[in-house]
Amino acid sequence: MLTLDDRAWQFLNGPYGIDESLPEAIAGLKAAYSKELLDDIIWERIYHQNTLYENTFAAIPHLLEVVVNSTDAETQLDILCSLAVLISEDYNPPLPDTIPAEYEDNTDLTPEQVHGIYNAYLLALQQLPALCAALLPQARAGAEEDDKTYFLAATAVAHGQHAFARVFIQYSGGEEYIAHCEACGTDTFVWPKGDRLLLFREDPVFHKEQEALPITPHPDKTPAWDGTTITEANSYAWGYHFLSQLDMPNLKQYWPYLFGTASCPGCGKPLVVFESILAGM
């Protein structure tokens, strides 16, 4: 990874331009963990409004090193779930020697330097599956399902499923979603009623008397996962496995509806609900 004394930090943009004191802040976090300092680094200095920056890729390996070296599960979960938000917004191909889009305007670093930063970032991400597996019991023990939703997203990120993760980061409450019909452009509100999810043409907050449209739930209520393959194609099965492992009863009851089908209230064409939620992101 890019060492904290490397001059390259002086040429890495963040949300507010060059942050020459970022290496010092990261060193301070490594020396003595502070939740306040962590939040300052992540939410103010390397990430802003769903946007990654040049310094994001240099900082993340160091922050993951804090996770690996920590003996406090709460600290590990906090950093891991926070970093999942950032990593889920990485649209670059996860291939060595890539020049990330965020570096396209950087003329101060050589391509070799950028490759080194991005390769170290990719190498650090290889630790994520094992970290998530080790921390799952502690995440399960948490009281709040919203927190478990972020860990579910972190697990998805660990296996390269960034789009899946973004859904459960944006809709961490696990109940209300917006689906988009690509055929006609209609946005539809997916809201709960009892143990079901239903479609609404208008926002139910402001249009309480409208008629709800049904969602046909996925026919397999308890999908089996092979325990190995994690792809977009089998996200219904592996997602169900992990939310069950995390003990998430609220999301679990809605899961077949999230992956069910319905008719678009705008044009009547069929919708696959989860695909339509992805399309609306």
Side-chain angles (χ1 to χ4, degrees), residues 7-9 11-12 54 103 106-111 113-114 117:
R7 289 187 67 253
W9 290 95
F11 306 106
L12 297 179
E54 294 167 358
Y103 285 81
N106 190 314
T107 59
D108 295 307
L109 300 183
T110 67
Q113 286 176 301
V114 177
I117 291 169

Side-chain angles (χ1 to χ4, degrees), residues 75-271:
T75 295
Q76 291 176 304
L77 286 169
D78 187 22
I79 301 174
L80 190 65
C81 290
S82 296
L83 289 180
V85 176
L86 281 61
I87 299 166
S88 74
E89 297 290 346
D90 179 11
Y91 293 85
N92 296 290
L95 301 173
D97 295 335
T98 291
I99 301 284
E102 289 78 4
Y103 285 81
E104 286 181 353
D105 296 327
N106 190 314
T107 59
D108 295 307
L109 300 183
T110 67
E112 291 73 23
Q113 286 176 301
V114 177
H115 290 162
I117 291 169
Y118 194 64
N119 291 349
Y121 162 78
L122 293 179
L123 184 63
L125 297 193
Q126 293 179 17
Q127 303 170 96
L128 291 175
L131 286 171
C132 286
L135 289 169
L136 191 147
Q138 287 77 18
R140 176 188 172 91
E144 300 297 329
E145 188 158 322
D146 283 10
D147 293 337
K148 296 179 182 183
T149 303
Y150 278 99
F151 188 82
L152 178 65
T155 301
V157 162
H159 296 278
Q161 300 303 305
H162 292 191
F164 179 103
R166 289 193 294 271
V167 169
F168 295 101
I169 289 167
Q170 179 166 331
Y171 300 111
S172 60
E175 292 186 344
E176 302 164 4
Y177 307 85
I178 296 176
H180 179 77
C181 176
E182 294 191 293
C184 70
T186 297
D187 285 338
T188 303
F189 296 83
V190 182
W191 275 50
K193 184 174 183 180
D195 60 356
R196 298 178 295 159
L197 293 177
L198 299 170
L199 291 186
F200 294 87
R201 177 75 180 264
E202 307 289 343
D203 189 335
V205 171
F206 304 106
H207 302 272
K208 300 183 185 299
E209 305 305 320
Q210 67 183 301
E211 182 179 355
L213 300 174
I215 295 174
T216 301
H218 194 289
D220 188 354
K221 300 296 193 299
T222 56
W225 177 51
D226 65 11
T228 303
T229 308
I230 296 181
T231 65
E232 181 180 348
N234 72 338
S235 54
Y236 181 61
W238 64 258
Y240 181 84
H241 169 81
F242 284 111
L243 70 87
S244 298
Q245 291 287 303
L246 288 166
D247 188 21
M248 301 175 68
N250 192 55
L251 184 57
K252 189 174 184 177
Q253 69 179 337
Y254 299 136
W255 201 247
Y257 294 91
L258 276 177
F259 287 83
T261 57
S263 296
C264 172
C267 65
K269 292 187 177 180
L271 291 177

Side-chain angles (χ1 to χ4, degrees), residues 19-102:
D19 185 350
E20 295 187 6
S21 66
L22 178 60
E24 182 182 354
I26 294 173
L29 186 72
K30 286 183 168 185
Y33 176 77
S34 158
K35 166 67 172 168
E36 181 179 359
L37 180 54
L38 173 72
D39 288 347
D40 177 62
I41 291 171
I42 291 181
W43 306 120
E44 300 294 334
R45 304 174 78 162
I46 65 172
Y47 178 80
H48 185 63
Q49 295 182 343
N50 301 335
T51 302
L52 306 185
Y53 297 87
E54 294 167 358
N55 66 9
T56 311
F57 300 95
I60 283 178
H62 290 279
L63 298 178
L64 280 173
E65 189 173 66
V66 177
V67 178
V68 170
N69 292 335
S70 176
T71 58
D72 182 77
E74 184 177 351
T75 295
Q76 291 176 304
L77 286 169
D78 187 22
I79 301 174
L80 190 65
C81 290
S82 296
L83 289 180
V85 176
L86 281 61
I87 299 166
S88 74
E89 297 290 346
D90 179 11
Y91 293 85
N92 296 290
L95 301 173
D97 295 335
T98 291
I99 301 284
E102 289 78 4

